[in-house]
């Protein structure tokens, strides 16, 4: 079994390694259920992302899967005009600031990142 | 890790990883624009973490072993037969059941990404999504199976099924010998997730479901 380093050998173990993976997963399903893209379009975006990552040297052992999933979600969100690169970057840094401006232990509100 | 670059380190919260921030950015924008509903997200996460899983597939398999009419319906139109048990796909994909026999063993893979019969198996294990499995299941299936502990007779055929976004496959393992007269519920315990992907056989009755966990 040495070829499958990241393989959980037991059945039915946790399938998400972190909450963000579950969030990214659910976003795609929710957008698809609203009819905002077809599942074929999604599978195309995801396999393109995986192929690109492999070409860039990712050994792609399954542990980076949700990173590809997230990158594909960002790509399809731009293609479908749900958002764009600038808006995503701005929002991301706004969240980053919100964390820095929030005392430890307090809930993080996006508004705390407004500068 | 030193924190000497923040003189006010007690008054802030350490931001999460870049990946987490990217998800938060997307999610908050999509919710704000009304493209996704936060309640829907929570329902999906809850469903996939707690309700959907390989037990659904084990139910399908055990029913096929004990109910000839259901098995016939399953082999004819798996999507519909599985839906009759309440397991419906979210992506409108079709499901096909491939049956292991004395002559043929079936193995499922998705060479392009990781299409998987979620409705009956939950989410795919990490190895299913890995590049080595995706390529070697096709190029060296016998070797892959032996790594999973199945050594097939040389004359047994292996059929490899490559899943797509439209078509997913579920392996119907052979019913273990010595289970005559077992109830559907008892049989379910012998059906592992891996046996429905085709990288294992159904458990032998004397091995016990616990022993092979």
């Amino acid at each position: 079994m040495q070829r499958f380093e990241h393989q959980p050998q037991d059945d039915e173990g946790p399938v998400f390694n972190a909450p963000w993976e579950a969030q990214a997963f659910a976003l795609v399903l929710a957008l698809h259920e609203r009819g905002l893209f077809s599942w074929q379009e999604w599978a195309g975006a995801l396999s393109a992302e995986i192929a690109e990552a492999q070409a860039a040297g990712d050994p792609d052992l399954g542990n980076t899967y949700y990173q590809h999933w997230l990158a594909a979600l960002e790509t399809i969100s731009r293609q479908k005009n749900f958002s764009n690169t600038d808006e995503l970057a701005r929002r991301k840094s706004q969240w980053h600031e919100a964390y820095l401006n929030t005392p430890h232990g307090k809930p993080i509100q996006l508004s705390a990142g407004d500068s | 890790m030193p924190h000497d670059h923040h003189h006010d380190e007690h008054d802030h919260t350490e931001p999460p990883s870049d990946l987490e921030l990217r998800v938060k950015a997307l999610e908050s924008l999509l919710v704000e624009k009304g493209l996704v509903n936060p309640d829907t997200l929570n329902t999906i996460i809850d469903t996939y973490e707690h309700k959907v899983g390989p037990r659904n597939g084990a139910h399908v398999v055990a029913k096929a072993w004990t109910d000839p009419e259901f098995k016939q319906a399953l082999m004819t139109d798996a999507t519909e037969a599985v839906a009759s048990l309440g397991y419906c796909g979210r992506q409108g994909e079709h499901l096909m059941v491939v049956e292991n026999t004395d002559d043929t063993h079936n193995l499922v893979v998705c060479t392009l990404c990781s299409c998987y019969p979620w409705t009956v198996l939950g989410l795919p294990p990490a190895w299913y999504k890995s590049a080595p499995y995706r390529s070697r299941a096709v190029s060296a299936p016998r070797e892959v199976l032996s790594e999973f502990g199945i050594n097939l007779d040389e004359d047994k055929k292996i059929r490899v099924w490559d899943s797509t976004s439209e078509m997913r496959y579920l392996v119907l393992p052979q019913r273990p010998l010595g289970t005559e007269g077992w109830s559907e519920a008892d049989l379910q315990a012998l059906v592992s997730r891996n046996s429905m992907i085709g990288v294992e056989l159904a458990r032998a009755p004397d091995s016990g479901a616990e022993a092979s966990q």
Side-chain angles (χ1 to χ4, degrees):
Chain A
M1 299 306 308
Q2 67 281 8
R3 311 264 183 124
F4 302 106
E5 289 172 29
H6 302 277
Q7 176 171 38
Q9 259 308 61
D10 58 334
D11 281 2
E12 298 135 46
V15 286
F16 297 113
N17 291 312
W20 70 264
E21 296 185 348
Q23 294 297 126
F25 174 81
L27 281 170
V28 169
L29 263 65
L31 290 166
H32 172 259
E33 278 181 15
R34 288 283 300 272
L36 295 166
F37 48 72
S38 73
W39 202 253
Q40 282 86 341
E41 285 178 292
W42 170 250
L46 179 59
S47 43
E49 222 38 81
I50 291 175
E52 203 173 302
Q54 284 183 325
D58 179 354
D60 190 23
L61 296 171
N63 54 331
T64 50
Y65 178 74
Y66 284 103
Q67 295 178 27
H68 308 322
W69 182 282
L70 174 58
L73 174 56
E74 289 170 339
T75 303
I76 209 165
S77 295
R78 287 193 296 270
Q79 285 167 351
K80 298 284 179 185
N81 287 319
F82 304 153
S83 187
N84 57 59
T85 310
D86 286 349
E87 189 180 50
L88 283 171
R90 266 202 315 277
R91 179 56 60 94
K92 193 181 128 193
S93 67
Q94 207 180 344
W95 275 115
H96 188 262
E97 285 303 310
Y99 276 82
L100 294 177
N101 294 338
T102 303
H104 190 75
K106 296 274 189 292
I108 315 290
Q109 307 281 354
L110 183 61
S111 53
D114 292 329
S115 41
Chain B
M1 203 170 118
H3 278 126
D4 52 357
H5 55 290
H6 281 306
H7 56 86
D8 57 347
E9 66 181 89
H10 298 298
D11 297 331
H12 77 279
T13 307
E14 200 57 45
S17 73
D18 187 66
L19 289 162
E20 282 168 79
L21 288 172
R22 280 163 62 194
V23 174
K24 283 184 92 69
L26 258 173
E27 181 178 337
S28 58
L29 283 167
L30 293 170
V31 166
E32 218 170 84
K33 294 177 187 205
L35 295 171
V36 298
N37 178 332
D39 293 339
T40 308
L41 293 181
N42 291 333
T43 306
I44 292 171
I45 291 169
D46 184 58
T47 301
Y48 277 87
E49 283 192 326
H50 303 295
K51 299 196 182 102
V52 176
R55 289 305 94 205
N56 295 359
H59 178 199
V60 171
V61 168
K63 194 167 177 59
W65 282 345
T66 51
D67 178 344
E69 210 169 299
F70 177 76
K71 184 184 167 187
Q72 198 185 348
L74 186 68
M75 300 313 292
T76 310
D77 183 344
T79 315
E80 205 178 298
V82 163
S84 76
L85 300 182
Y87 310 136
C88 300
R90 296 181 90 101
Q91 287 92 44
E93 73 279 13
H94 290 285
L95 181 69
M96 183 173 161
V97 168
V98 291
E99 185 181 11
N100 286 349
T101 64
D102 289 338
D103 305 322
T104 307
H105 183 87
N106 295 285
L107 179 65
V108 178
V109 65
C110 175
T111 54
L112 272 184
C113 44
S114 58
C115 296
Y116 189 73
W118 290 343
T119 44
V120 279
L121 293 188
L123 292 172
W127 57 262
Y128 183 85
K129 298 175 284 189
S130 74
Y133 178 75
R134 298 199 323 259
S135 60
R136 293 177 65 247
V138 176
S139 64
R142 217 167 272 275
E143 206 178 301
V144 168
L145 287 176
S146 82
E147 283 162 16
F148 276 93
I150 307 187
N151 292 297
L152 295 178
D153 290 341
E154 274 305 310
D155 54 355
K156 191 156 191 164
K157 281 199 296 277
I158 300 177
R159 290 198 68 176
V160 179
W161 300 85
D162 192 359
S163 315
T164 66
S165 54
E166 294 90 17
M167 183 62 85
R168 318 285 168 95
Y169 302 95
L170 182 78
V171 174
L172 176 58
Q174 285 186 286
R175 181 170 171 166
L177 297 172
T179 57
E180 294 73 19
W182 281 41
S183 71
E184 193 185 298
D186 287 340
L187 286 168
Q188 280 190 40
L190 302 178
V191 186
S192 68
R193 176 194 65 204
N194 286 2
S195 72
M196 294 180 278
I197 303 175
V199 296
E200 276 175 18
L201 306 178
R203 297 171 182 124
D206 53 2
S207 70
E210 295 308 311
S212 47
Q213 285 288 311

